[in-house]
Coordinates of all heavy atoms in Angstrom, one line a residue:
C155 N 172.5 130.3 35.2 CA 173.0 129.0 35.3 C 172.0 127.9 35.5 O 171.1 128.2 36.2 CB 174.1 129.0 36.3 SG 175.0 127.6 36.7
I156 N 172.2 126.9 34.9 CA 171.2 125.8 35.0 C 171.2 125.2 36.4 O 170.3 124.9 37.0 CB 171.5 124.7 34.0 CG1 171.2 125.1 32.6 CG2 170.6 123.4 34.3 CD1 171.6 124.3 31.5
A157 N 172.4 125.1 37.0 CA 172.5 124.6 38.4 C 171.8 125.4 39.4 O 171.0 124.9 40.3 CB 173.9 124.4 38.8
A158 N 171.8 126.7 39.2 CA 171.1 127.5 40.2 C 169.6 127.3 40.0 O 168.8 127.5 41.0 CB 171.4 129.0 39.9
R159 N 169.1 127.3 38.7 CA 167.6 127.1 38.5 C 167.2 125.7 39.1 O 166.2 125.7 39.6 CB 167.4 127.1 37.0 CG 167.4 128.5 36.6 CD 167.1 128.5 35.0 NE 167.3 129.7 34.5 CZ 167.3 130.0 33.1 NH1 167.0 129.1 32.3 NH2 167.4 131.2 32.7
V160 N 168.0 124.7 39.0 CA 167.6 123.4 39.6 C 167.6 123.6 41.1 O 166.7 123.0 41.7 CB 168.6 122.3 39.1 CG1 168.5 121.0 39.8 CG2 168.5 122.0 37.7
H161 N 168.5 124.2 41.7 CA 168.4 124.3 43.2 C 167.2 125.1 43.5 O 166.6 124.7 44.5 CB 169.8 125.1 43.5 CG 169.7 125.3 45.0 ND1 170.0 124.3 45.9 CD2 169.7 126.5 45.8 CE1 170.0 124.7 47.1 NE2 169.8 126.1 47.1
L162 N 166.9 126.2 42.8 CA 165.7 126.9 43.1 C 164.4 126.1 43.0 O 163.4 126.1 43.8 CB 165.5 128.2 42.5 CG 166.5 129.3 42.8 CD1 166.4 130.5 41.6 CD2 166.4 129.8 44.2
L163 N 164.4 125.3 42.0 CA 163.3 124.4 41.7 C 163.2 123.3 42.8 O 162.1 123.0 43.3 CB 163.4 123.6 40.4 CG 162.3 122.6 40.1 CD1 161.0 123.4 39.8 CD2 162.7 121.9 38.7
H164 N 164.3 122.8 43.3 CA 164.3 121.9 44.4 C 163.8 122.6 45.7 O 163.0 121.9 46.5 CB 165.7 121.3 44.6 CG 165.8 120.4 45.8 ND1 165.1 119.2 45.9 CD2 166.4 120.6 47.0 CE1 165.5 118.6 47.1 NE2 166.2 119.4 47.8
I165 N 164.2 123.7 46.0 CA 163.6 124.5 47.2 C 162.1 124.7 47.1 O 161.5 124.5 48.1 CB 164.5 125.8 47.3 CG1 165.9 125.5 47.8 CG2 163.7 126.7 48.3 CD1 166.7 126.7 47.8
S166 N 161.7 125.1 45.9 CA 160.2 125.3 45.7 C 159.4 124.0 45.9 O 158.3 124.0 46.4 CB 159.9 126.0 44.5 OG 160.2 125.2 43.4
Q167 N 160.0 123.0 45.5 CA 159.2 121.6 45.5 C 159.3 121.2 47.0 O 158.4 120.5 47.6 CB 160.0 120.6 44.6 CG 159.6 120.7 43.3 CD 160.4 119.7 42.4 OE1 161.4 119.0 42.9 NE2 160.0 119.6 41.2
S168 N 160.4 121.5 47.6 CA 160.6 121.2 49.1 C 159.4 121.9 49.9 O 158.9 121.4 50.8 CB 161.9 121.5 49.6 OG 162.1 121.3 51.0
N169 N 159.3 123.2 49.7 CA 158.3 124.1 50.2 C 156.9 123.5 50.0 O 156.2 123.5 50.9 CB 158.4 125.5 49.9 CG 159.6 126.2 50.7 OD1 160.1 125.7 51.7 ND2 160.1 127.3 50.1
A170 N 156.7 123.2 48.8 CA 155.4 122.7 48.4 C 155.0 121.4 49.1 O 153.8 121.2 49.5 CB 155.3 122.6 46.9
T171 N 156.0 120.5 49.2 CA 155.8 119.3 50.0 C 155.5 119.5 51.5 O 154.6 118.9 52.0 CB 157.1 118.5 49.8 OG1 157.3 118.2 48.5 CG2 156.9 117.1 50.5
K172 N 156.2 120.5 52.0 CA 155.9 120.9 53.3 C 154.6 121.3 53.6 O 153.8 121.1 54.5 CB 156.8 121.8 53.9 CG 158.4 121.3 54.1 CD 159.3 122.4 54.5 CE 160.7 121.8 54.5 NZ 161.7 123.0 55.0
I173 N 154.1 122.2 52.7 CA 152.6 122.8 52.7 C 151.7 121.8 52.6 O 150.6 121.7 53.3 CB 152.5 123.9 51.7 CG1 153.5 125.1 52.1 CG2 151.1 124.4 51.6 CD1 153.5 126.1 51.1
V174 N 151.8 120.8 51.6 CA 150.8 119.6 51.5 C 150.7 118.8 52.6 O 149.7 118.5 53.1 CB 151.3 119.0 50.1 CG1 150.4 117.8 50.1 CG2 150.9 119.8 48.9
F175 N 152.0 118.5 53.2 CA 152.0 117.6 54.4 C 151.4 118.3 55.6 O 150.5 117.7 56.3 CB 153.4 117.3 54.8 CG 153.5 116.5 55.9 CD1 153.2 115.1 55.8 CD2 154.0 117.0 57.1 CE1 153.3 114.2 56.9 CE2 154.1 116.0 58.2 CZ 153.8 114.7 58.1
L176 N 151.6 119.6 55.7 CA 150.8 120.4 56.7 C 149.4 120.4 56.6 O 148.6 120.2 57.5 CB 151.4 121.8 57.0 CG 150.8 122.7 57.9 CD1 151.3 122.2 59.3 CD2 151.4 124.1 57.7
I177 N 148.9 120.6 55.4 CA 147.4 120.7 55.3 C 146.9 119.3 55.5 O 145.8 119.1 56.0 CB 147.1 121.2 53.8 CG1 147.5 122.7 53.7 CG2 145.7 120.8 53.4 CD1 147.4 123.2 52.4
F178 N 147.5 118.3 54.9 CA 147.0 116.9 55.1 C 146.9 116.5 56.6 O 146.0 116.0 57.1 CB 148.0 115.9 54.4 CG 147.6 114.5 54.6 CD1 146.5 113.9 54.1 CD2 148.4 113.7 55.4 CE1 146.2 112.6 54.3 CE2 148.2 112.3 55.6 CZ 147.0 111.8 55.2
C179 N 147.9 116.8 57.4 CA 147.9 116.6 58.8 C 146.8 117.3 59.6 O 146.2 116.8 60.5 CB 149.3 116.8 59.4 SG 150.6 115.6 58.8
S180 N 146.7 118.6 59.2 CA 145.7 119.4 59.8 C 144.2 118.9 59.5 O 143.3 118.9 60.4 CB 145.8 120.9 59.5 OG 145.6 121.1 58.1
S181 N 144.1 118.5 58.3 CA 142.7 117.9 58.0 C 142.5 116.5 58.8 O 141.4 116.3 59.2 CB 142.7 117.6 56.4 OG 143.5 116.6 56.0
L182 N 143.6 115.7 59.0 CA 143.5 114.5 59.8 C 143.1 115.0 61.2 O 142.3 114.2 61.8 CB 144.7 113.7 59.9 CG 145.1 112.9 58.5 CD1 146.4 112.2 58.7 CD2 144.0 112.0 58.2
V183 N 143.7 116.0 61.9 CA 143.4 116.5 63.2 C 141.9 116.8 63.2 O 141.1 116.4 64.1 CB 144.3 117.5 63.7 CG1 143.8 118.2 64.8 CG2 145.6 117.0 63.7
F184 N 141.4 117.6 62.3 CA 140.0 117.9 62.3 C 139.0 116.8 62.1 O 137.9 116.7 62.6 CB 139.6 119.0 61.2 CG 139.9 120.3 61.7 CD1 141.1 121.0 61.2 CD2 139.1 121.0 62.7 CE1 141.4 122.3 61.6 CE2 139.5 122.3 62.9 CZ 140.6 122.9 62.5
L185 N 139.4 115.8 61.3 CA 138.6 114.6 61.2 C 138.5 113.6 62.4 O 137.6 113.1 62.8 CB 139.1 113.7 60.0 CG 138.8 114.3 58.6 CD1 139.5 113.4 57.5 CD2 137.2 114.3 58.4
M186 N 139.8 113.8 63.2 CA 139.8 113.1 64.4 C 138.9 113.8 65.4 O 138.2 113.1 66.2 CB 141.3 113.1 65.1 CG 142.1 112.1 64.3 SD 143.9 112.2 64.9 CE 143.9 113.0 66.5
Q187 N 138.8 115.1 65.4 CA 137.9 115.8 66.2 C 136.4 115.5 66.0 O 135.7 115.3 66.9 CB 138.0 117.4 66.1 CG 137.3 118.2 67.0 CD 137.6 118.1 68.4 OE1 138.9 117.8 68.8 NE2 136.7 118.1 69.4
A188 N 136.0 115.2 64.6 CA 134.8 114.8 64.4 C 134.4 113.4 65.0 O 133.4 113.1 65.4 CB 134.5 114.8 62.8
G189 N 135.5 112.6 64.9 CA 135.4 111.2 65.4 C 135.2 111.2 66.9 O 134.4 110.5 67.5
F190 N 135.9 112.1 67.6 CA 135.7 112.2 69.1 C 134.3 112.7 69.4 O 133.7 112.4 70.3 CB 136.8 113.2 69.7 CG 138.1 112.7 69.6 CD1 139.2 113.6 69.4 CD2 138.4 111.4 69.6 CE1 140.5 113.2 69.3 CE2 139.8 110.9 69.6 CZ 140.8 111.8 69.4
A191 N 133.8 113.7 68.5 CA 132.4 114.1 68.7 C 131.4 113.0 68.6 O 130.5 112.9 69.4 CB 132.1 115.2 67.7
M192 N 131.6 112.1 67.6 CA 130.7 110.9 67.5 C 130.8 110.0 68.7 O 129.9 109.4 69.2 CB 131.0 110.2 66.3 CG 130.8 110.9 65.0 SD 129.2 111.5 64.7 CE 129.3 113.2 64.8
V193 N 132.1 109.7 69.2 CA 132.2 108.9 70.3 C 131.6 109.6 71.6 O 130.9 108.8 72.3 CB 133.7 108.7 70.6 CG1 133.9 108.1 71.9 CG2 134.3 107.8 69.6
C194 N 131.7 110.9 71.7 CA 131.1 111.5 72.9 C 129.6 111.4 72.8 O 128.9 111.2 73.7 CB 131.6 113.0 73.0 SG 133.2 113.1 73.6
S195 N 129.0 111.6 71.6 CA 127.6 111.6 71.4 C 127.0 110.2 71.6 O 125.9 110.1 72.0 CB 127.2 112.2 70.1 OG 127.7 111.3 69.0
G196 N 127.8 109.1 71.3 CA 127.4 107.8 71.6 C 127.4 107.4 73.0 O 126.8 106.4 73.4
C197 N 128.1 108.2 73.8 CA 128.4 107.7 75.2 C 127.3 108.5 76.2 O 127.4 108.4 77.4 CB 129.7 108.1 75.7 SG 131.0 107.1 74.9
V198 N 126.5 109.4 75.6 CA 125.5 110.2 76.4 C 124.0 109.8 76.0 O 123.9 109.2 74.9 CB 125.8 111.6 76.4 CG1 127.2 112.0 76.8 CG2 125.6 112.1 75.0
R199 N 123.2 110.2 76.9 CA 121.8 109.9 76.6 C 121.3 110.9 75.4 O 122.0 111.9 75.1 CB 120.9 110.2 77.8 CG 121.2 109.0 78.8 CD 120.5 109.3 80.1 NE 119.0 109.6 79.9 CZ 118.3 109.9 80.8 NH1 118.7 110.0 82.1 NH2 116.9 110.1 80.7
K200 N 120.2 110.4 74.8 CA 119.8 111.2 73.6 C 119.5 112.7 73.9 O 119.9 113.6 73.0 CB 118.6 110.5 73.1 CG 118.1 111.1 71.8 CD 116.8 110.5 71.3 CE 116.3 111.0 70.0 NZ 115.1 110.4 69.4
K201 N 119.1 113.0 75.0 CA 118.8 114.4 75.3 C 119.9 115.3 75.5 O 120.0 116.4 75.5 CB 117.9 114.5 76.6 CG 118.7 114.0 78.0 CD 117.7 114.2 79.1 CE 118.5 114.0 80.4 NZ 117.7 114.3 81.5
N202 N 121.2 114.6 75.7 CA 122.4 115.4 76.0 C 123.4 115.4 74.8 O 124.4 115.9 74.9 CB 123.2 114.8 77.2 CG 122.4 114.8 78.5 OD1 121.6 115.8 78.8 ND2 122.5 113.9 79.3
V203 N 122.9 114.9 73.7 CA 123.7 114.9 72.5 C 124.1 116.3 72.0 O 125.2 116.6 71.7 CB 123.1 114.0 71.3 CG1 124.0 114.2 70.0 CG2 123.1 112.6 71.9
Q204 N 123.1 117.1 71.9 CA 123.2 118.5 71.6 C 124.3 119.2 72.4 O 125.1 119.9 71.9 CB 121.9 119.3 71.6 CG 121.9 120.6 70.9 CD 120.7 121.4 70.9 OE1 119.7 120.8 71.4 NE2 120.5 122.5 70.3
N205 N 124.3 119.0 73.7 CA 125.2 119.6 74.6 C 126.6 119.1 74.4 O 127.5 119.9 74.3 CB 124.8 119.4 76.0 CG 125.6 120.1 77.0 OD1 126.1 121.2 76.8 ND2 125.8 119.6 78.2
S206 N 126.7 117.8 74.1 CA 128.0 117.2 73.8 C 128.6 117.7 72.5 O 129.9 118.0 72.4 CB 127.9 115.7 73.8 OG 129.1 115.1 73.4
M207 N 127.7 117.8 71.5 CA 128.2 118.5 70.2 C 128.6 119.9 70.3 O 129.5 120.3 69.7 CB 127.2 118.3 69.0 CG 126.9 117.0 68.7 SD 128.4 116.2 67.9 CE 127.7 114.7 67.4
L208 N 127.9 120.8 71.2 CA 128.1 122.1 71.3 C 129.7 122.2 72.0 O 130.5 123.1 71.6 CB 127.2 122.8 72.1 CG 127.5 124.3 72.4 CD1 127.5 125.0 71.1 CD2 126.5 124.8 73.3
K209 N 129.8 121.3 72.9 CA 131.2 121.4 73.6 C 132.4 121.0 72.7 O 133.4 121.6 72.8 CB 131.2 120.4 74.8 CG 130.3 120.9 76.1 CD 130.4 119.8 77.1 CE 129.6 120.3 78.3 NZ 129.7 119.4 79.4
N210 N 132.1 120.0 71.8 CA 133.0 119.6 70.8 C 133.4 120.9 69.9 O 134.4 121.1 69.5 CB 132.7 118.4 70.0 CG 133.0 117.2 70.9 OD1 134.1 116.9 71.2 ND2 131.9 116.5 71.2
L211 N 132.2 121.5 69.4 CA 132.4 122.6 68.5 C 133.2 123.7 69.2 O 134.1 124.4 68.5 CB 131.1 123.1 68.1 CG 131.1 124.3 67.1 CD1 131.6 123.9 65.8 CD2 129.5 125.0 67.0
L212 N 132.9 124.0 70.4 CA 133.6 125.0 71.2 C 135.1 124.7 71.4 O 136.0 125.6 71.3 CB 132.9 125.4 72.4 CG 131.6 126.1 72.4 CD1 130.9 126.2 73.7 CD2 131.7 127.4 71.7
D213 N 135.3 123.4 71.5 CA 136.8 123.0 71.6 C 137.4 123.2 70.3 O 138.6 123.7 70.4 CB 136.7 121.5 71.9 CG 138.1 120.8 72.1 OD1 138.9 121.5 72.7 OD2 138.3 119.7 71.7
V214 N 136.9 122.9 69.1 CA 137.5 123.2 67.9 C 137.7 124.7 67.7 O 138.8 125.2 67.4 CB 136.7 122.7 66.7 CG1 137.2 123.0 65.4 CG2 136.8 121.1 66.7
C215 N 136.8 125.4 68.1 CA 136.9 126.9 67.8 C 138.0 127.5 68.8 O 138.8 128.3 68.3 CB 135.6 127.6 68.1 SG 134.3 127.3 66.8
G216 N 137.9 127.1 70.0 CA 139.1 127.6 70.9 C 140.4 127.1 70.5 O 141.3 127.9 70.7
S217 N 140.4 125.9 70.1 CA 141.8 125.4 69.7 C 142.4 126.1 68.5 O 143.5 126.4 68.3 CB 141.8 123.9 69.3 OG 141.4 123.3 70.5
S218 N 141.5 126.5 67.6 CA 141.8 127.2 66.3 C 142.3 128.8 66.7 O 143.3 129.2 66.2 CB 140.8 127.4 65.3 OG 140.3 126.1 64.9
I219 N 141.7 129.4 67.6 CA 142.1 130.6 68.0 C 143.4 130.6 68.8 O 144.2 131.4 68.6 CB 140.9 131.2 68.8 CG1 139.7 131.5 68.0 CG2 141.3 132.4 69.6 CD1 138.5 132.1 68.8
A220 N 143.6 129.6 69.7 CA 144.9 129.4 70.3 C 145.9 129.1 69.4 O 147.1 129.7 69.6 CB 144.7 128.3 71.5
F221 N 145.7 128.4 68.3 CA 146.8 128.2 67.4 C 147.1 129.4 66.6 O 148.3 129.7 66.4 CB 146.4 127.0 66.5 CG 147.6 126.7 65.4 CD1 148.4 125.8 65.8 CD2 147.5 127.1 64.2 CE1 149.5 125.5 65.0 CE2 148.4 126.7 63.3 CZ 149.5 126.0 63.8
Y222 N 146.1 130.2 66.3 CA 146.3 131.5 65.7 C 147.2 132.3 66.5 O 148.1 133.1 66.1 CB 145.1 132.2 65.3 CG 145.2 133.5 64.8 CD1 145.7 133.8 63.5 CD2 144.8 134.7 65.6 CE1 145.9 135.2 63.1 CE2 145.0 136.0 65.2 CZ 145.5 136.1 63.9 OH 145.6 137.4 63.5
L223 N 146.9 132.5 67.8 CA 147.6 133.3 68.7 C 148.9 133.0 69.0 O 149.9 133.8 69.0 CB 146.7 133.4 70.2 CG 145.3 134.1 70.0 CD1 144.7 134.0 71.3 CD2 145.5 135.6 69.6
V224 N 149.2 131.8 69.4 CA 150.5 131.3 69.8 C 151.0 130.1 69.2 O 152.3 129.9 69.1 CB 150.6 131.1 71.4 CG1 150.3 132.4 72.1 CG2 149.6 130.1 71.9
G225 N 150.1 129.1 68.7 CA 150.7 128.0 68.3 C 151.5 128.0 66.9 O 152.4 127.4 66.8
Y226 N 151.1 128.8 65.9 CA 151.9 129.0 64.7 C 153.3 129.6 65.1 O 154.3 129.1 64.5 CB 151.2 129.9 63.8 CG 152.0 130.0 62.4 CD1 151.7 129.1 61.5 CD2 152.8 131.0 62.2 CE1 152.3 129.0 60.3 CE2 153.6 131.0 61.1 CZ 153.3 130.1 60.1 OH 154.0 130.2 58.8
A227 N 153.4 130.5 66.0 CA 154.6 131.0 66.4 C 155.6 130.0 67.1 O 156.7 130.0 66.8 CB 154.4 132.2 67.1
F228 N 154.9 129.2 68.0 CA 155.7 128.2 68.7 C 156.2 127.2 67.6 O 157.4 126.7 67.7 CB 154.9 127.5 69.7 CG 154.7 128.3 71.0 CD1 153.7 128.1 71.9 CD2 155.4 129.5 71.3 CE1 153.6 128.7 73.1 CE2 155.3 130.3 72.4 CZ 154.3 129.8 73.2
A229 N 155.3 126.8 66.6 CA 155.7 125.8 65.7 C 156.7 126.3 64.6 O 157.6 125.5 64.3 CB 154.4 125.2 65.1
F230 N 156.4 127.4 64.0 CA 157.1 127.8 62.9 C 158.0 129.1 63.0 O 158.5 129.6 62.2 CB 156.2 127.9 61.6 CG 155.5 126.6 61.4 CD1 154.1 126.6 61.7 CD2 156.2 125.6 60.8 CE1 153.5 125.3 61.4 CE2 155.5 124.4 60.5 CZ 154.2 124.3 61.0
G231 N 157.7 129.9 64.2 CA 158.4 131.2 64.3 C 159.9 131.0 64.7 O 160.3 129.9 65.3
G232 N 160.7 131.9 64.4 CA 162.1 131.8 64.7 C 163.0 131.9 63.4 O 162.5 131.9 62.3
D233 N 164.2 132.0 63.7 CA 165.3 132.1 62.7 C 165.5 130.6 62.2 O 165.9 129.9 63.1 CB 166.5 132.8 63.3 CG 167.4 133.0 62.1 OD1 167.1 132.9 61.0 OD2 168.7 133.4 62.5
P234 N 165.4 130.4 60.9 CA 165.6 129.1 60.4 C 167.2 128.6 60.6 O 167.5 127.5 60.5 CB 165.2 129.1 59.0 CG 165.1 130.4 58.6 CD 164.9 131.2 59.9
D235 N 168.0 129.6 60.6 CA 169.4 129.3 60.7 C 169.9 128.9 62.2 O 170.9 128.3 62.3 CB 170.3 130.5 60.2 CG 169.9 130.8 58.8 OD1 169.7 129.8 58.0 OD2 170.0 131.9 58.4
V236 N 169.2 129.3 63.0 CA 169.4 129.1 64.5 C 168.5 128.0 65.0 O 167.3 128.3 65.1 CB 169.3 130.3 65.4 CG1 169.7 130.2 66.8 CG2 170.2 131.5 64.7
P237 N 169.1 126.8 65.4 CA 168.2 125.7 65.9 C 167.7 126.1 67.3 O 168.4 126.6 68.1 CB 169.1 124.5 66.0 CG 170.5 125.1 66.1 CD 170.5 126.4 65.3
S238 N 166.4 126.0 67.6 CA 165.9 126.2 68.8 C 164.7 125.2 69.1 O 164.1 124.6 68.1 CB 165.3 127.7 68.9 OG 164.2 127.9 67.9
F239 N 164.3 125.1 70.3 CA 163.2 124.1 70.6 C 161.8 124.7 70.3 O 161.0 124.0 69.9 CB 163.3 123.8 72.2 CG 162.2 123.0 72.6 CD1 162.1 121.6 72.3 CD2 161.2 123.5 73.4 CE1 161.1 120.8 72.7 CE2 160.2 122.7 73.9 CZ 160.1 121.4 73.5
I240 N 161.7 126.1 70.4 CA 160.3 126.7 70.3 C 160.6 128.0 69.6 O 161.5 128.6 69.7 CB 159.7 126.8 71.7 CG1 158.2 127.0 71.5 CG2 160.2 127.8 72.5 CD1 157.3 126.8 72.7
G241 N 159.5 128.3 68.8 CA 159.6 129.6 68.0 C 159.3 130.8 68.9 O 158.7 130.7 70.0
T242 N 160.0 132.0 68.6 CA 159.8 133.2 69.3 C 159.4 134.3 68.6 O 159.2 135.4 69.2 CB 161.2 133.6 70.0 OG1 162.1 133.7 69.0 CG2 161.7 132.5 71.0
T243 N 159.1 134.2 67.4 CA 158.6 135.4 66.5 C 157.3 134.9 65.8 O 156.8 133.7 65.9 CB 159.6 135.8 65.5 OG1 159.8 134.6 64.7 CG2 160.9 136.2 66.1
N244 N 156.6 135.8 65.2 CA 155.4 135.7 64.4 C 154.2 135.4 65.1 O 153.3 134.7 64.7 CB 155.6 134.5 63.3 CG 156.7 134.8 62.3 OD1 156.9 136.0 62.1 ND2 157.2 133.8 61.7
F245 N 154.1 136.0 66.4 CA 152.8 135.8 67.1 C 151.8 136.5 66.5 O 152.0 137.7 66.1 CB 153.2 136.2 68.6 CG 153.9 135.3 69.4 CD1 155.3 135.5 69.6 CD2 153.4 134.1 70.0 CE1 156.2 134.7 70.3 CE2 154.1 133.3 70.7 CZ 155.5 133.5 70.8
L246 N 150.6 136.1 66.5 CA 149.5 136.7 65.7 C 149.7 136.9 64.3 O 149.2 137.7 63.6 CB 149.1 138.0 66.5 CG 148.5 138.0 67.8 CD1 148.3 139.3 68.4 CD2 147.2 137.1 67.9
L247 N 150.6 136.1 63.7 CA 151.0 136.1 62.3 C 151.6 137.5 62.1 O 151.5 138.0 60.8 CB 150.0 135.7 61.4 CG 149.4 134.3 61.5 CD1 148.3 134.1 60.5 CD2 150.4 133.2 61.3
L248 N 152.1 138.2 63.0 CA 152.7 139.6 62.8 C 154.2 139.3 62.1 O 154.7 138.2 62.4 CB 152.9 140.3 63.9 CG 151.5 140.8 64.6 CD1 151.8 141.5 65.9 CD2 150.7 141.6 63.6
D249 N 154.7 140.2 61.4 CA 156.0 140.1 60.7 C 156.0 139.0 59.8 O 157.2 138.4 59.6 CB 157.1 140.0 61.8 CG 157.1 141.1 62.8 OD1 156.6 142.3 62.3 OD2 157.4 141.0 64.0
M250 N 155.0 138.6 59.2 CA 155.1 137.4 58.2 C 155.3 138.1 56.8 O 154.7 139.2 56.4 CB 153.7 136.6 58.2 CG 153.5 135.8 59.5 SD 154.6 134.4 59.4 CE 154.1 133.6 58.0
E251 N 156.0 137.3 56.0 CA 156.3 137.8 54.7 C 155.4 136.9 53.9 O 155.2 135.7 54.0 CB 157.7 137.5 54.3 CG 158.7 138.3 55.0 CD 160.1 138.0 54.6 OE1 160.3 137.3 53.6 OE2 161.0 138.5 55.4
N252 N 154.6 137.5 53.0 CA 153.7 136.8 52.2 C 154.2 136.0 51.0 O 153.5 135.2 50.5 CB 152.7 137.8 51.5 CG 151.7 138.5 52.6 OD1 151.4 137.8 53.6 ND2 151.4 139.6 52.3
D253 N 155.4 136.3 50.7 CA 156.1 135.6 49.6 C 156.8 134.3 49.8 O 157.3 133.7 49.0 CB 156.9 136.5 48.8 CG 158.0 137.0 49.6 OD1 158.0 136.9 50.8 OD2 159.0 137.7 49.0
D254 N 156.9 133.9 51.2 CA 157.7 132.7 51.5 C 156.9 131.5 51.5 O 157.4 130.3 51.7 CB 158.5 132.9 52.8 CG 157.4 133.0 54.0 OD1 156.2 133.1 53.7 OD2 157.9 133.0 55.1
G255 N 155.6 131.4 51.2 CA 154.9 130.3 51.1 C 154.4 129.6 52.3 O 153.8 128.5 52.4
T256 N 154.8 130.1 53.5 CA 154.3 129.5 54.8 C 153.1 130.2 55.4 O 152.6 129.6 56.3 CB 155.4 129.8 55.9 OG1 155.7 131.2 56.1 CG2 156.8 129.1 55.4
L257 N 152.5 131.1 54.7 CA 151.2 131.6 55.3 C 150.1 130.8 54.7 O 149.0 131.0 55.2 CB 151.2 133.1 54.8 CG 150.0 134.0 55.5 CD1 150.2 134.0 56.9 CD2 150.0 135.3 54.8
Y258 N 150.3 130.0 53.8 CA 149.0 129.1 53.3 C 148.6 128.4 54.3 O 148.7 127.2 54.4 CB 149.5 128.6 52.0 CG 149.9 129.6 50.9 CD1 151.3 129.6 50.3 CD2 149.1 130.7 50.5 CE1 151.6 130.5 49.5 CE2 149.5 131.6 49.7 CZ 150.7 131.5 49.1 OH 151.1 132.4 48.3

């Protein structure tokens, strides 16, 4: 049926839009982190710039690991049919289905 195909096409476009928006926003966050590193390096003496940059790099690495451990599950885990404030499943990306498009 044509109506069913149009509905499936709309769902796939909606998922694609969500994925593009998520990637765009995450790239903005990483660019903001680079801006914070530049501000921090401008506020310290020349001999302490390397230490400031290392702290910012460790901040990004720690935040990425924390998002992998619990952040994704809090943001996107849970049953989509039941409204909830915070997700309760998919910690460590376990129980993820590879065909739903949310793993990208």
Side-chain angles (χ1 to χ4, degrees):
C155 180
I156 294 175
R159 289 182 183 171
V160 169
H161 180 67
L162 288 176
L163 181 63
H164 176 68
I165 290 173
S166 66
Q167 287 177 346
S168 175
N169 283 340
T171 304
K172 289 178 186 178
I173 291 169
V174 168
F175 182 72
L176 181 67
I177 291 171
F178 175 71
C179 290
S180 62
S181 64
L182 286 179
V183 168
F184 277 106
L185 288 174
M186 284 176 19
Q187 184 66 32
F190 294 147
M192 296 299 116
V193 168
C194 287
S195 66
C197 292
V198 297
R199 290 173 53 185
K200 186 177 179 182
K201 67 177 187 168
N202 296 328
V203 170
Q204 186 176 7
N205 186 29
S206 176
M207 290 295 182
L208 179 64
K209 287 180 182 180
N210 281 294
L211 178 66
L212 292 176
D213 181 40
V214 169
C215 293
S217 299
S218 299
I219 291 170
F221 184 79
Y222 170 74
L223 292 174
V224 294
Y226 185 86
F228 285 166
F230 302 108
D233 188 11
D235 298 327
V236 178
S238 64
F239 176 70
I240 196 167
T242 57
T243 59
N244 297 336
F245 289 96
L246 295 172
L247 298 179
L248 298 175
D249 302 327
M250 288 291 298
E251 297 178 11
N252 291 332
D253 60 347
D254 63 353
T256 58
L257 191 58
Y258 302 119

